Amino acid sequence: MTFIKATETFNTFDAAVAAPYLRKSIVLTAETKATVRIAACGFYEFWLNGKRLTKGLLAPYISNTDHYVYYDEYDVTLSAGENVIGLLLGNGFQNNPGGYIWDFDQSPFRSAPMVAVAVSAADGSLLCESDASWKTAASPITADDYRFGEQYDARREIPGWNLPGFDDSAWSNAIVGAQPKGEVRKCEADPILPAAERKPVAIVPFEGGYIYDFGVCDAGVCRLTINGTAGQTVTMQHADWFDGKKFYLENVWFVREHWERDKKIVNKDFYTCKGGATEVYQPTFTYHGFRFVFVEGITAEQATPELLTYVVLHSDLHSRGDFVCSDETANKLQELTRRSDLSNFHYFPTDCPQREKNGWTADAALSSEHLLLNFNPERSYRQWLANICAAQDERGALPGIVPTGGWGFAWGNGPAWDSVLAYLPYFVYRYRGTTDMIVEAADAFEKYLRYLLTRVDEKGLMHIGLGDWCHANRRGPKAPLELTDTVMCKDIADKMAVMFDAVGMSERAAFARECSAAYKQAIRTHLIDFATMTVAGDCQTSQAMCIFYGIVEGDEADRAFARLLDFIREADDHLDVGVLGGRVLFHVLTAYGESDLAYKMIVRPDFPSYGNWLELGATTLWEGFWPQRTDENGKQFIEGLSSMNHHFWGDISAWFIKCIAGICVNPQVSDANELTIAPSFIAVLDWAEGWHFAPAGKITSAWKRENGAVTLKLGIPAAMHATAKLPQGYAFADGSTEKAVVSGIYEIRAL
C-alpha cells in the first residue's frame, strides 16, 4: 500500500498544522460491491459520498508505527457514476507535541499523518489506491493534539467537499510518503464508541466564564450546540476537580518548565463560530478525562444546559460480571471501579484519561483480573500484547509504557511493571480458557526470563524498577525494592510456567520453574527473619506479598500472617500499602478467615481508605490516598491532589466478586469449567450477590442472612463442575462445609 500525506511539516505548539482533507473520485459504469482498506499513521475519519463510515473514534489504532501500522476494512456499495472517498487525518501519536514529557515529540517514527487506501471489487480487482493524484486541502480543524485538545474554525468549512460533483481543481495534490517501518496489520481491537450522554447537573459563573459540572468524572468530549456570531470563539477546558473557588489544572498535567504555556491550552478545545444558524461541534481527534468544564467566550444567555452535552467515549466493552450488596458504600466503590476501568480503556488500558493517556504496564497488570471479571477486554488485550512484545528490546527489557518511542526503559519499568507481559495472557487463559495469546507471546516470555537473569545482584535479588507505588502513607514504599522486584520476578516465572505447560512447551516450563525457585530461595535467604517470621520492610506489603506469592508456606505462612495482623493493628486497621501490596492484601486476609477485617479496611470512612475517597467526593478511583486538610483561613482542601481517575487500585472489585460473592473461576488454572463457590458472609452485610459470564454460561452467587441463618442461591452452568466451600463457623444443612453443588438454593446454618 502506498502512503500519502498532505504535507511534510510537523505540527508544533508554536506552528500548528491544520488537519488535512483528502479526496478521490472513482467513476464506475455499474453498481459495484467493494472493500475499502484504510491504513493510517495517525488517525483518520472516512466518508463515502458524504456518509461517515468510520468505525469509531481515533481510528484505526494507537501504536508505534515502527512496529505496527494498523488498517480497517469497510464493505461498501459503490454507485454507478462518480463516487467520492473523503478522508480527514489527525495527528495521533504520529505527530504529538503534547507528549513531550515522554519524548513523543521526538519519536523516531514521527511524521505528519499519513494514510494508505485500497479499494477492491468483490472479484479482487483493484479499483483505486492512494497515490499523488489524490487531492488535499486544509480542514477547519486548525490544530489537534491527542492530549491537549483540538481547535476548530467553522468559518473554514468547505461545503460539499466529500460529495460527488465537488470541484477540487484548486486543491493540492497529495505527497507520497516514505513507507513506514512497521508491519501493516488489521486492527482487531474493540472500537472506541459513544457509550452514554450526560447533561450538566450545575452551571456556575466563574472568573468571566462558566463552570459546567457533569456530576461524575469520566472520559469523552463535549458536544457544543450554539447559536453564535461569526468569529465568536468558545473555549472548553476540562478538569477533574472544582471546589467552588479553584479550577484545578495542576493535577491534570505536569507543572514543569512549560507550565505557563501548557495551562492555557491543556485539556482544552476551541471552537470559532461561522454564525447565522445553530452550530454543532464535537471534537474529532482528541478526548478528555473530566467532570468539570470551564467555558469561556459565551454570553449569559448562551450559558444554558443545552450548550454542552458530555459524550462518554471508551472502547466498546460490555459487562460480563458485577457485584451488589446491602451496603451502599461497597456498591458505590464497585461503580467507581467500573467507571474507572471503562474511562481508562481506549484500545488498551491507560493510566488516566485526563493527563497521560499512556499504556502504563503496571496499571494494566494490576487491573487485568478484575477487568476480565467485569468486562470482555480479551480482544483488545490480544492486540495490545502484540505491541508489548514488539516493544521488547534486544536485551529482553520492556518499557514502562506501550506504545513508546523509546521512553520508559531507563525509568518507569522493572518487574512489577513488566509483569503485564505475563498477566494479560495468564488471566485471559484462566477466565476464558484460550491459549492464542500464550502462543503468540511465548518467545517474548523466554526472552524476558533470560533478561531478568542478567539483572540480578550477587545475592540473586532484583532491584531495578519501580516498587510499591503510590503508598497510602504518602511517604514512599516501606517494602524494599529488592523484595517487591524479586517477588514479582518469581510470580512472573510461575505464571509463565503455567502458560508454557498449557501449550505443551515443557522445556520452557521447566526453565521458568527453575527461575522461580531461584528467586524464592534468594528472598528466603536474605530477606526473611525466620525467628520472628518478619519480612524485610516490617510492613503490610512485605508480609502479604510473601504469603500470597508462596514465598512462605504452611506453618511459616501462618506465623507470617500473625505478623501481618500485628502491622495492621499498628495502623489501627488502616491500609498501609502501595499498589503492589494493595493488590494482594485483602485476598490474603480472606484466605485466613479475616474477610470482615478486609471489608472494614476498604469501606471505613476515614483516611486512608477507599471509603474515604467517597467521603471526599470521588466518582472514580483516585491515584492515591490524600488527606483532607484545613488551611489558615479555615478552608478545607485535599492535600497532594493528583490524578482523580486511575484504575490500578480496582482489584477490590475482584475481591467483592471472588471473596464476598465467592465466585472463583478455574481456581487451579487448569480448566475454565472448574468453579469454586467460596463466599464470605460479612457480618455487617445482610446480603450480597455477584455474577460472571464464564465461557460455559452465567454464574450467579447470592446469599442472604435471615434470623441467624444464611440462604445461598446459586446459578451454575451445566457444563461447569462446582464445589462450594463455606467459611469457618458455617455448615450446610447436612453438616458438611464443602460439597459439590449445582444450581439451586442451599440453607446454611451458623455453627
Side-chain angles (χ1 to χ4, degrees):
M1 301 177 75
T2 301
F3 283 81
I4 59 175
K5 53 188 174 180
T7 179
E8 300 282 4
T9 306
F10 291 161
N11 185 62
T12 68
F13 284 131
D14 296 326
V17 177
Y21 283 145
L22 289 157
R23 74 185 307 273
K24 179 67 174 179
S25 291
I26 307 172
V27 179
L28 301 174
T29 59
E31 182 177 280
T32 304
K33 301 289 186 182
T35 298
V36 180
R37 176 182 289 190
I38 304 173
C41 297
F43 300 140
Y44 75 85
E45 287 282 306
F46 166 45
W47 293 263
L48 177 61
N49 296 331
K51 181 179 180 181
R52 181 184 182 274
L53 298 180
T54 323
K55 69 176 184 182
L57 184 75
L58 310 182
Y61 194 68
I62 298 170
S63 66
N64 176 332
T65 52
D66 278 352
H67 297 152
Y68 293 115
V69 179
Y70 284 90
Y71 71 87
D72 297 315
E73 285 186 342
Y74 300 89
D75 293 326
V76 301
T77 300
L78 301 176
S79 304
E82 184 185 13
N83 296 268
V84 173
I85 293 175
L87 298 172
L88 173 65
L89 301 187
N91 288 308
F93 272 42
Q94 195 70 15
N95 188 7
N96 181 214
Y100 68 88
I101 290 172
W102 309 277
D103 298 338
F104 283 113
D105 61 329
Q106 49 189 313
S107 61
F109 56 82
R110 187 181 179 203
S111 74
M114 302 189 296
V115 67
V117 183
V119 184
S120 302
D123 62 5
S125 60
L126 186 64
L127 300 176
C128 175
E129 64 179 337
S130 47
D131 58 26
S133 69
W134 286 53
K135 293 291 190 173
T136 181
S139 78
I141 299 177
T142 57
D144 66 281
D145 185 86
Y146 177 70
R147 293 180 175 85
F148 273 61
E150 186 173 287
Q151 300 180 27
Y152 189 101
D153 188 342
R155 297 170 300 178
R156 299 179 54 161
E157 291 177 348
I158 307 174
W161 73 272
N162 54 10
L163 293 172
F166 177 80
D167 181 6
D168 62 12
S169 59
W171 286 29
S172 302
N173 286 88
I175 300 169
V176 174
Q179 184 74 15
K181 295 179 181 179
E183 173 191 332
V184 179
R185 62 162 50 190
K186 186 176 181 180
C187 181
E188 302 288 355
D190 300 292
I192 299 170
L193 296 176
E197 293 190 356
R198 296 195 179 99
K199 299 305 293 183
V201 298
I203 303 172
V204 180
F206 179 73
E207 294 186 354
Y210 297 86
I211 298 290
Y212 276 63
D213 178 4
F214 288 92
V216 296
C217 284
D218 216 314
V221 294
C222 279
R223 185 172 64 239
L224 172 71
T225 304
I226 188 169
N227 280 294
T229 58
Q232 179 184 1
T233 296
V234 181
T235 65
M236 298 162 283
Q237 193 160 31
H238 308 73
D240 284 337
W241 199 244
F242 172 68
D243 63 6
K245 294 185 178 180
K246 181 177 179 180
F247 185 69
Y248 284 80
L249 291 175
E250 293 89 341
N251 67 305
V252 300
W253 195 237
F254 299 90
V255 181
R256 298 191 179 183
E257 65 272 20
H258 301 299
W259 181 237
E260 290 305 311
R261 177 198 68 191
D262 290 352
K263 67 183 180 182
K264 299 174 184 176
I265 55 175
V266 70
N267 287 7
K268 193 171 187 178
D269 298 322
F270 297 72
Y271 180 79
T272 300
C273 300
K274 59 185 174 185
T278 299
E279 302 174 47
V280 179
Y281 163 69
Q282 182 173 314
T284 302
F285 294 130
T286 190
Y287 73 95
H288 308 287
F290 65 100
R291 170 179 169 177
F292 300 95
V293 184
F294 180 33
V295 185
E296 294 182 281
I298 59 172
T299 66
E301 293 74 22
Q302 291 169 329
T304 67
E306 292 70 36
L307 183 79
L308 296 186
T309 301
Y310 196 146
V311 182
V312 178
L313 297 162
H314 56 71
S315 286
D316 190 29
L317 303 185
H318 300 279
S319 287
R320 183 179 275 150
D322 209 343
F323 171 84
V324 65
C325 69
S326 58
D327 182 3
E328 277 306 303
T329 297
N331 294 341
K332 276 289 186 184
L333 291 173
Q334 171 71 358
E335 175 190 327
L336 265 59
T337 300
R338 287 168 59 90
R339 184 178 298 123
S340 298
D341 290 340
L342 292 175
S343 59
N344 277 291
F345 212 110
H346 295 82
Y347 292 129
F348 46 79
T350 58
D351 62 323
C352 52
Q354 80 287 42
R355 186 175 67 197
E356 297 197 32
K357 306 179 187 177
N358 277 324
W360 275 98
T361 50
D363 300 51
L366 290 163
S367 296
S368 52
E369 183 172 21
H370 84 256
L371 257 165
L372 280 155
L373 280 165
N374 280 278
F375 302 106
N376 62 328
E378 59 271 14
R379 274 168 43 95
S380 294
Y381 275 172
R382 183 180 180 186
Q383 195 78 87
W384 191 45
L385 182 63
N387 287 264
I388 294 169
C389 294
Q392 190 175 34
D393 72 12
E394 66 282 354
R395 300 170 300 162
L398 294 167
I401 59 172
V402 177
T404 179
W407 188 95
F409 286 98
W411 186 89
N413 59 348
W417 270 241
D418 305 341
S419 64
V420 72
L421 179 66
Y423 275 47
L424 296 190
Y426 174 85
F427 283 114
V428 169
Y429 170 60
R430 175 174 179 176
Y431 285 102
R432 309 314 299 166
T434 57
T435 59
D436 45 9
M437 292 174 67
I438 300 172
V439 173
E440 291 162 5
D443 289 347
F445 291 170
E446 181 173 1
K447 187 175 181 181
Y448 184 73
L449 289 175
R450 295 193 182 279
Y451 160 72
L452 289 178
L453 296 179
T454 70
R455 300 303 306 272
V456 294
D457 66 13
E458 67 280 358
K459 298 177 181 178
L461 298 172
M462 188 75 68
H463 39 88
I464 63 173
L466 300 180
D468 198 21
W469 197 247
C470 290
H471 203 281
N473 67 22
R474 304 182 65 250
R475 293 185 296 275
K478 293 183 175 181
L481 180 60
E482 60 184 359
L483 174 75
T484 55
D485 260 7
T486 312
V487 169
M488 292 308 300
C489 287
K490 177 191 181 298
D491 182 47
I492 290 167
D494 287 338
K495 286 179 167 58
M496 288 181 177
V498 169
M499 291 188 285
F500 282 139
D501 277 337
V503 294
M505 298 181 181
S506 56
E507 290 186 7
R508 284 176 160 179
F511 169 61
R513 290 192 173 90
E514 289 175 10
C515 294
S516 170
Y519 295 127
K520 179 177 179 178
Q521 188 57 50
I523 296 166
R524 291 175 62 85
T525 300
H526 300 289
L527 297 177
I528 300 177
D529 178 354
F530 285 93
T532 62
M533 216 54 238
T534 304
V535 184
D538 298 359
C539 63
Q540 294 178 19
T541 288
S542 296
Q543 298 297 126
M545 288 185 72
C546 281
I547 297 168
F548 186 85
Y549 294 113
I551 307 299
V552 292
E553 299 172 348
D555 177 64
E556 292 176 348
D558 295 342
R559 294 169 57 212
F561 182 74
R563 289 294 290 135
L564 172 61
L565 287 181
D566 290 341
F567 294 129
I568 292 173
R569 300 307 182 199
E570 289 173 10
D572 191 27
D573 296 351
H574 283 93
L575 292 170
D576 194 15
V577 294
V579 291
L580 302 184
R583 171 65 178 81
V584 302
L585 175 63
F586 306 125
H587 298 280
V588 170
L589 288 172
T590 291
Y592 282 83
E594 293 285 353
S595 290
D596 281 6
L597 174 58
Y599 190 80
K600 174 186 176 182
M601 296 174 75
I602 292 169
V603 303
R604 63 183 304 159
D606 55 336
F607 170 83
S609 70
Y610 289 82
N612 187 243
W613 284 344
L614 297 178
E615 294 291 315
L616 297 179
T619 58
T620 42
L621 302 182
W622 291 357
E623 184 177 15
F625 299 94
W626 314 305
Q628 190 172 55
R629 307 293 193 198
T630 303
D631 66 17
E632 63 277 7
N633 299 316
K635 176 188 172 185
Q636 289 186 320
F637 66 98
I638 300 173
E639 183 180 71
L641 188 67
S642 187
S643 166
M644 305 180 81
N645 192 347
H646 260 63
H647 57 99
F648 63 2
W649 287 101
D651 188 71
I652 54 167
S653 177
W655 187 81
F656 290 158
I657 294 170
K658 294 175 63 178
C659 297
I660 298 183
I663 299 172
C664 303
V665 178
N666 197 1
Q668 303 304 316
V669 198
S670 58
D671 184 351
N673 284 329
E674 288 292 321
L675 175 65
T676 297
I677 300 292
S680 296
F681 305 131
I682 305 297
V684 297
L685 298 182
D686 297 322
W687 57 271
E689 178 178 354
W691 60 272
H692 173 72
F693 269 102
K698 187 177 183 181
I699 306 162
T700 59
S701 175
W703 59 263
K704 184 177 182 181
R705 195 191 314 276
E706 291 182 306
N707 302 320
V710 175
T711 300
L712 178 64
K713 184 177 181 181
L714 301 177
I716 311 294
M720 298 194 80
H721 175 263
T723 301
K725 297 180 180 181
L726 299 183
Q728 185 176 3
Y730 292 89
F732 290 104
D734 61 7
S736 64
T737 59
E738 179 177 336
K739 66 179 181 179
V741 290
V742 295
S743 295
I745 298 175
Y746 297 85
E747 299 298 327
I748 296 168
R749 56 186 174 86
L751 298 178

